[in-house]
Amino acid sequence: QVCTMMLATSSFKVRSRSRPSRDACAARGGADADAAHGGGGDGGGGEHPHAATTSTAAAAIPRGVRRRRNPRPVLFLLAGPRSGSSLVQLSLNRHEKLWAPQELYLLQYHDMAERKEKLKDVDATLPVSQGLVNAISEIRGCTYEQANVIVGEMERDALDTRDVYYVLQEWCADRILVDKTPPYAWSIDTLRRAETIFKNARYVFLHRHPYATIASMVKESLNREWIVKQMVSSNARRRRRALEVEEVVARIRSEEDDFAAFGGGDDDGEEKEKEEEMEKEEEMEEGESAAATEIARQQLQRLDPVLWDESDRLYATANANIQDFLTNEVSPVRWTRMAYEDFLRDPREELTRVLWHVLRLPFDDACLDPYSAENVATREGRQGVEGRSGMAAMDPRVLERRSIDASMANAWVHAPALAPLSTFAMHVGRELGYEPALFKEPTMRPGCAPEIIRLNRGVRGYPVVIVHDVLGEVNADLRGVVDEQRPAYGLRLTPAGLGLHDLEDLARLYAAAVMSTACPEEVASDCVVIGKGRFGSALAVEMARNLGGSRVLCLEEELVEEDVDVLLRSLMIDDEEDHHEQIRADMRNLDADAQLDVIYMLKPSSVSDKKWRASVDRGLKRMAFCEALRLKYDGLGGSRRSCVSVNGVEELRERLNEL
């Protein structure tokens, strides 16, 4: 039922139905064209001077216009839900040549009677059906109640929605009407209807990163507070009924016992009993409310995966419909695309490009201040304000901010990912320029680069990459410093890496593996790279450069330790630490060959000679390779100036949390 409520507007598919002709609608009118514009003198002769009748508005439409497509320019801001369209709409509304009212919900209906019929089952607490009323109230300067009368007359007369568009365009005079209604995108037939109504329609395709959009749909598209209240109420009622039944049964039994024992009752005792019962009821109600709320939130949490799958489908469907419609059926000179992330980072540049391309309008500096008092006043909820009521048909969350926040461009990085993107959604995202963000998936996909492995299942925040030390193995012991919610990867040396001759080449190999497997290039510079020891630190710095300037943390614990000590420590099994230290101290007085002989002799009893020698030889080979690369890198002037040095795992964890 909750999913059905969320998708109540997704089934607004255009279908044919009999309706009165536009000429018949015009015939109903009898007043002059001035009344259609809200005329009528000073308003003293009527109850609502601004509330022109629908029939009058229809009569004002010239016959020549009614027989052909509307020639006046109109701009459709096409976007799926939760794509940032409300903020862009606010910015466009600040332009002196544009009027971007609230969501109109007109294009998917043939006439206002059909619109009323389809919207009658939409929950009254949702603002879907109130956008047109608020828009008329804004453009006519009348009260919400007066605007509601106008819409009611439009519905009564079954006014054709194309005529409603014409009337709105007349009312906004020389400003161009901007229609931003996200559910249009769920039906390609609805999008095509714009071309049948308007001769000069222009389009801006606004899109957003799939993870940000889908996570926002799951979180915000539902009126979650309302749902929790309904669930709490339902749970509380069920619990209260059960408790009432138990209480009645207990009271009956108690009364039977009392009368059987004493043959009557005591008035003072009854009064005291009632007081105690009232106190118990108050305590019970408080406990019931807390318990019911917790149950409701648990139920809602179990619903999230279902909503994620449905939101994934809706994201892909909406954006695919818009892309197919514009690419195949609209001239390129009449539409353009705009990424919401680009708008947030540089609204001036994006709006300048978009406005000139589709409307040949210059940029207006006022667009950079979408949260002006006058602009926001028409969007805020109007309950409790004298002469106004109703809710804004737009994203109410957008009004919680007071400026365009560039940091929100990468909000998708921190968004919870309840499941991997579907193949359809990933394909659509690629078409829109969003490379797969595989770090948002808790596991590695088949065919990933062998140099990189997953260290946890985190999916929120920028990835952490831990490079290997001189032994070429994953520093899995450092995985504990990374928060479980944050994606962490480890790098290891492979045969492909062993064939390289420079540390820079190895760093490029690893950087390519990170960008193809963990995160796309657009956020690679925000990764955190951790190095350990002399070789690992140098490799981490060089990798960060290839990733576009990622931040580097270097664990300095191993800087004073000899490479053979690192190998010895990694091979020791089931020995005491004091024993390790003694062996290391003894071996420092031996040459390299003697050291190797000692290491061979330290074979654990559980490991075969062949396997032990292979392990030692492999470790020595990798160690020699890494050390040679480091020495060459240092000899060429390699620097670790961009590395933040930390002492110990605890400091490393603190630094990482700060980043």
Side-chain angles (χ1 to χ4, degrees):
Q1 290 175 343
V2 173
C3 288
T4 301
M5 187 187 73
M6 185 189 79
L7 305 178
T9 58
S10 68
S11 58
F12 296 159
K13 191 143 182 171
V14 176
R15 60 184 179 86
S16 300
R17 56 164 287 175
S18 61
R19 62 183 187 275
S21 67
R22 291 187 296 279
D23 290 336
C25 290
R28 296 192 186 106
D32 56 19
D34 292 337
H37 292 270
D42 58 6
E47 181 180 0
H48 301 307
H50 295 287
T53 65
T54 308
S55 303
T56 302
I61 303 174
R63 285 180 174 274
V65 171
R66 298 168 66 82
R67 292 195 181 100
R68 65 176 187 267
R69 290 191 298 167
N70 188 332
R72 299 188 64 169
V74 64
L75 176 62
F76 285 95
L77 180 59
L78 300 180
R82 315 304 304 173
S83 297
S85 56
S86 291
L87 178 56
V88 176
Q89 179 189 40
L90 280 174
S91 289
L92 293 177
N93 195 53
R94 290 281 286 147
H95 197 287
E96 63 176 357
K97 293 296 184 181
L98 300 175
W99 178 44
Q102 298 179 26
E103 297 168 10
L104 300 176
Y105 289 88
L106 289 174
L107 195 60
Q108 63 267 65
Y109 308 111
H110 282 90
D111 59 51
M112 292 297 290
E114 180 187 11
R115 181 181 185 272
K116 179 182 179 181
E117 178 68 20
K118 287 291 184 65
L119 292 179
K120 71 178 183 180
D121 294 328
V122 176
D123 190 271
T125 62
L126 299 179
V128 169
S129 60
Q130 301 184 40
L132 179 59
V133 180
N134 288 328
I136 293 175
S137 173
E138 175 188 350
I139 198 65
R140 304 300 291 154
C142 61
T143 66
Y144 178 87
E145 289 75 15
Q146 292 169 340
N148 203 30
V149 170
I150 297 177
V151 173
E153 292 174 348
M154 290 178 174
E155 295 169 347
R156 182 197 64 197
D157 293 343
L159 189 67
D160 195 308
T161 50
R162 73 184 74 188
D163 294 339
V164 178
Y165 273 119
Y166 186 85
V167 170
L168 292 175
Q169 288 177 305
E170 285 291 301
W171 283 344
C172 66
D174 61 341
R175 298 170 71 186
I176 297 174
L177 174 65
V178 180
D179 186 357
K180 187 277 293 187
T181 307
Y184 292 169
W186 286 335
S187 169
I188 197 167
D189 291 334
T190 298
L191 299 175
R192 287 170 177 156
R193 193 160 186 267
E195 287 294 286
T196 66
I197 295 177
F198 296 96
K199 183 179 180 179
N200 197 25
R202 303 302 169 112
Y203 307 91
V204 173
F205 176 14
L206 180 69
H207 51 80
R208 191 182 184 189
H209 197 285
Y211 274 111
T213 306
I214 296 170
S216 185
M217 287 174 71
V218 172
K219 180 182 178 183
E220 301 290 355
S221 289
L222 286 169
N223 189 336
R224 299 175 77 85
E225 293 180 0
W226 177 84
I227 293 172
V228 169
K229 289 178 182 178
Q230 297 301 310
M231 289 181 170
V232 167
S233 176
S234 176
N235 291 324
R237 281 196 301 269
R238 286 198 298 267
R239 290 171 58 85
R240 192 172 293 112
R241 280 197 298 268
L243 291 170
E244 286 173 355
V245 171
E246 292 178 3
E247 184 180 351
V248 170
V249 171
R251 186 182 296 119
I252 292 173
R253 289 176 177 170
S254 175
E255 290 175 356
E256 289 176 349
D257 293 341
D258 289 343
F259 276 92
F262 306 106
D266 182 6
D267 291 339
D268 294 337
E270 287 179 3
E271 288 296 328
K272 187 178 290 185
E273 232 176 82
K274 287 180 180 179
E275 291 178 4
E276 291 177 355
E277 285 179 3
M278 289 178 63
E279 291 178 0
K280 287 181 180 178
E281 284 178 2
E282 291 177 359
E283 293 177 0
M284 193 179 300
E285 285 178 1
E286 293 178 1
E288 284 178 8
S289 177
T293 301
E294 182 59 29
I295 293 172
R297 297 198 182 282
Q298 290 176 3
Q299 291 173 345
L300 196 58
Q301 191 174 8
R302 288 196 295 270
L303 184 64
D304 281 350
V306 179
L307 294 178
W308 179 276
D309 291 341
E310 188 62 20
S311 299
D312 179 288
R313 183 185 68 82
L314 291 175
Y315 168 84
T317 301
N319 287 279
N321 282 343
I322 297 172
Q323 180 73 5
D324 291 346
F325 165 67
L326 295 176
T327 303
N328 300 322
E329 304 182 31
V330 180
S331 169
V333 300
R334 290 197 288 122
W335 72 277
T336 189
R337 276 182 7 194
M338 180 169 68
Y340 182 56
E341 294 80 9
D342 293 339
F343 167 78
L344 291 174
R345 294 186 184 105
D346 194 342
R348 177 185 293 275
E349 179 179 349
E350 284 302 296
L351 290 181
T352 299
R353 176 185 64 82
V354 166
L355 290 172
W356 185 254
H357 180 88
V358 296
L359 296 172
R360 287 297 186 264
L361 288 178
F363 177 74
D364 188 339
D365 287 332
C367 294
L368 299 178
D369 183 24
Y371 291 99
S372 67
E374 179 184 0
N375 204 34
V376 171
T378 63
R379 264 70 177 177
E380 291 177 334
R382 298 172 174 178
Q383 298 88 338
V385 180
E386 184 179 355
R388 294 188 180 273
S389 61
M391 298 172 63
M394 60 177 290
D395 175 17
R397 297 282 184 182
V398 75
L399 299 181
E400 294 178 359
R401 298 181 180 276
R402 284 293 176 247
S403 63
I404 299 175
D405 187 357
S407 67
M408 293 300 294
N410 284 336
W412 64 272
V413 174
H414 305 281
L418 303 182
L421 293 179
S422 66
T423 304
F424 187 18
M426 187 170 289
H427 169 74
V428 171
R430 276 200 182 101
E431 290 292 312
L432 300 179
Y434 301 108
E435 289 301 317
L438 298 181
F439 71 88
K440 300 295 289 183
E441 301 180 11
T443 58
M444 301 276 284
R445 292 196 172 197
C448 291
E451 290 83 11
I452 186 169
I453 64 170
R454 257 281 197 175
L455 298 180
N456 64 7
R457 296 176 61 86
V459 294
R460 302 183 68 171
Y462 294 105
V464 175
V465 181
I466 303 175
V467 303
H468 61 77
D469 57 15
V470 71
L471 295 176
E473 296 293 343
V474 174
N475 275 313
D477 57 319
L478 294 182
R479 76 172 71 188
V481 304
V482 184
D483 188 296
E484 292 183 359
Q485 297 292 323
R486 193 169 184 174
Y489 294 85
L491 294 173
R492 58 188 176 186
L493 189 61
T494 63
L498 286 170
L500 301 176
H501 300 89
D502 295 297
L503 188 140
E504 293 91 335
D505 293 337
L506 188 62
R508 280 190 286 271
L509 174 69
Y510 291 157
V514 169
M515 286 190 284
S516 66
T517 302
C519 61
E521 186 175 357
E522 62 182 292
V523 296
S525 60
D526 293 301
C527 294
V528 178
V529 185
I530 298 178
K532 181 180 179 183
R534 290 177 295 188
F535 174 80
S537 298
L539 181 58
V541 170
E542 202 59 38
M543 259 195 68
R545 288 175 180 161
N546 284 276
L547 290 174
S550 297
R551 293 158 293 185
V552 183
L553 296 176
C554 298
L555 188 64
E556 303 287 358
E557 284 184 332
E558 303 299 337
L559 289 181
V560 298
E561 192 171 42
E562 297 295 334
D563 292 332
V564 70
D565 294 340
V566 178
L567 175 64
L568 180 63
R569 179 170 49 80
S570 68
L571 293 174
M572 287 297 179
I573 302 176
D574 298 331
D575 271 335
E576 294 293 335
E577 183 63 28
D578 292 342
H579 188 202
H580 291 187
E581 291 297 334
Q582 184 61 46
I583 293 176
R584 292 193 191 101
D586 293 341
M587 289 181 62
R588 288 193 180 94
N589 299 322
L590 303 176
D591 59 28
D593 292 335
Q595 287 178 346
L596 187 58
D597 290 336
V598 171
I599 292 175
Y600 283 143
M601 290 177 2
L602 291 173
K603 179 188 75 67
S605 58
S606 59
V607 181
S608 65
D609 289 341
K610 183 177 180 181
K611 186 175 181 179
W612 178 253
R613 283 185 171 273
S615 178
V616 173
D617 291 343
R618 183 171 62 251
L620 289 172
K621 180 180 179 181
R622 291 182 175 183
M623 187 174 65
F625 170 77
C626 292
E627 184 63 13
L629 291 187
R630 184 186 67 80
L631 291 173
K632 183 177 181 181
Y633 177 75
D634 289 344
L636 294 175
S639 172
R640 297 192 5 250
R641 61 181 178 273
S642 58
C643 177
V644 178
S645 299
V646 295
N647 295 310
V649 173
E650 287 304 320
E651 184 181 347
L652 177 61
R653 182 181 290 108
E654 291 175 4
R655 290 278 189 156
L656 190 58
N657 290 335
E658 291 174 1
L659 296 177

